[in-house]
Amino acid sequence: ALYLGVRAQPAVRRATPSQTEGPFYPVVFPDDADFDLLRNGALNYPEGEVAWLEGMVRDLAGRPLAGAQVEIWQCDHAGHYHHPGDGDLADRRFQGFGRCPVAADGSYRFRTMRPVAYSGRTPHIHLKVKLGRRELLTTQLYVADDPGNARDFLWRRLDAAGRAALTVPFVRDGETLRANFPIVVAT
């Protein structure tokens, strides 16, 4: 048998689709902006269903994006954001925004709640990936099998592959839910 010395090339991944930042990205970052959105300083947030949002951040070649930062923001259980455009209605016990460094293996993790719907939108969590001062990705993630998805104008704009990439199940794990959201970014 003749060996030609051809090596398999690493698979190039498809970048996670970007979506609008939305009107509620923080104007002023909260004093407490860590990975735990259910604890705002000394305040605990007892509302909603506790959920761990976790995953890996990789580049198009599959390498971990260590040193990057993931940010998330979402509304509270009553559908309000910590943002002047949403009035002063947000529950101050809910942090509403968090950031987490990407570990050497590419992993990130947030403690939050399962997102809820509000007027005109299906449940979603906004997400941004930064590397230094560069914003590499801004998107939204959606809850698999939520009946509101089909009515949501942003979710409907996605093609089938985009919907598959941005829609994840929130799976029961004892007392909490877990959602695994892998992120692929072009660097």
Side-chain angles (χ1 to χ4, degrees):
L2 178 63
Y3 176 70
L4 299 175
V6 176
R7 271 195 249 181
Q9 295 296 315
V12 175
R13 289 159 172 75
R14 179 178 180 198
T16 300
S18 64
Q19 285 204 304
T20 180
E21 185 173 273
F24 298 121
Y25 185 74
V27 174
V28 176
F29 294 111
D31 292 335
D32 188 355
D34 65 2
F35 77 100
D36 189 350
L37 279 68
L38 301 181
R39 180 182 219 82
N40 192 6
L43 303 174
N44 288 311
Y45 188 69
E47 309 296 337
E49 290 184 83
V50 176
W52 286 96
L53 172 61
E54 52 204 358
M56 304 292 277
V57 182
R58 298 188 181 278
D59 67 14
L60 292 173
R63 294 180 299 257
L65 204 60
Q69 182 172 260
V70 177
E71 297 177 348
I72 65 169
W73 64 102
Q74 70 185 97
C75 66
D76 64 18
H77 73 285
H80 300 292
Y81 286 88
H82 290 288
H83 189 279
D86 202 17
D88 192 27
L89 302 171
D91 190 320
R92 62 188 194 90
R93 298 171 298 170
F94 185 57
Q95 191 171 294
F97 172 88
R99 57 173 64 106
C100 172
V102 175
D105 67 353
S107 64
Y108 73 92
R109 186 174 190 207
F110 289 95
R111 182 174 173 256
T112 189
M113 66 172 205
R114 181 190 187 279
V116 299
Y118 59 88
S119 181
R121 290 302 314 277
T122 194
H124 63 283
I125 296 175
H126 299 266
L127 185 138
K128 190 179 290 276
V129 178
K130 294 180 176 179
L131 185 60
R133 298 186 110 138
R134 294 186 323 150
E135 289 185 10
L136 302 179
L137 175 68
T138 301
T139 195
Q140 298 179 34
L141 71 94
Y142 300 91
V143 178
D145 300 322
D146 191 281
N149 291 347
R151 293 186 302 274
D152 189 85
F153 69 103
L154 289 174
W155 190 85
R156 282 194 329 252
R157 286 184 190 167
L158 294 163
D159 62 16
R163 288 177 184 165
L166 297 183
T167 308
V168 297
F170 280 68
V171 179
R172 180 127 333 262
D173 182 13
E175 298 285 317
T176 65
L177 297 171
R178 290 198 180 280
N180 185 340
F181 186 65
I183 302 167
V184 178
V185 295
T187 56

